[in-house]
Amino acid sequence: MIAIVLMVTTLSVAAAAPWLIYWIALNEIESCPTPARHTATAEQVDSLFRKLRLSQPVHIDPISPYSYFLQGVHPSASTRIAWIIARSHNVNHLSDHRYWHLSGAALTIWLTRYWTSTELIARAVELENLTATSVMR
């Protein structure tokens, strides 16, 4: 009986740990990112997808801490697009930069779960255009 209780407890902790880490890392971010002011044009979307080497149609799927980890070195289109927003936001809104990677992953997960694909793509286009403009100056 003790072995069963120990096994169930261990499995429960192992199953809950990724979500706990997600929650802790998300709480290190001082505010939520804001959606884009305008929708992206087809040309802007095509340009973003070419830059990211994504073939169309792109499906933006919600990810979890488990699926984020299982992607390994081959992130999904959802992850790559949401990461643009998370990276940009965390530069100025992270309370402790030691959490950069964990909070970036947590915000990437959060974005895919709570923003629509249209919002994600439009904001990523907006941020990429801001980056390109600032590099040209």
Side-chain angles (χ1 to χ4, degrees), residues 7-102:
M7 185 176 69
V8 168
T9 302
T10 302
L11 290 175
S12 297
V13 168
W19 287 101
L20 179 63
I21 293 168
Y22 163 77
W23 180 78
I24 290 168
L26 206 53
N27 281 318
E28 290 297 319
I29 304 168
E30 295 169 351
S31 65
C32 293
T34 56
R37 294 182 198 106
H38 307 289
T39 57
T41 66
E43 295 81 26
Q44 291 172 321
V45 172
D46 290 341
S47 175
L48 175 68
F49 290 170
R50 272 194 310 277
K51 182 176 182 181
L52 296 176
R53 296 186 184 125
L54 297 173
S55 57
Q56 292 191 44
V58 170
H59 296 284
I60 306 294
D61 298 315
I63 57 177
S64 71
Y66 305 110
S67 60
Y68 183 89
F69 175 73
L70 291 174
Q71 291 176 34
V73 295
H74 303 289
S76 68
S78 302
T79 301
R80 294 175 67 193
I81 292 169
W83 172 248
I84 293 169
I85 302 163
R87 177 188 62 210
S88 174
H89 184 75
N90 280 355
V91 166
N92 296 317
H93 297 94
L94 195 57
S95 60
D96 185 346
H97 282 275
R98 291 178 295 177
Y99 285 89
W100 176 262
H101 294 288
L102 282 177

Side-chain angles (χ1 to χ4, degrees), residues 115-134:
W115 281 23
T116 66
S117 57
T118 304
E119 289 173 321
L120 285 169
I121 292 168
R123 185 63 176 148
V125 164
E126 189 176 82
L127 291 169
E128 287 297 303
N129 287 342
L130 286 172
T131 303
T133 304
S134 66

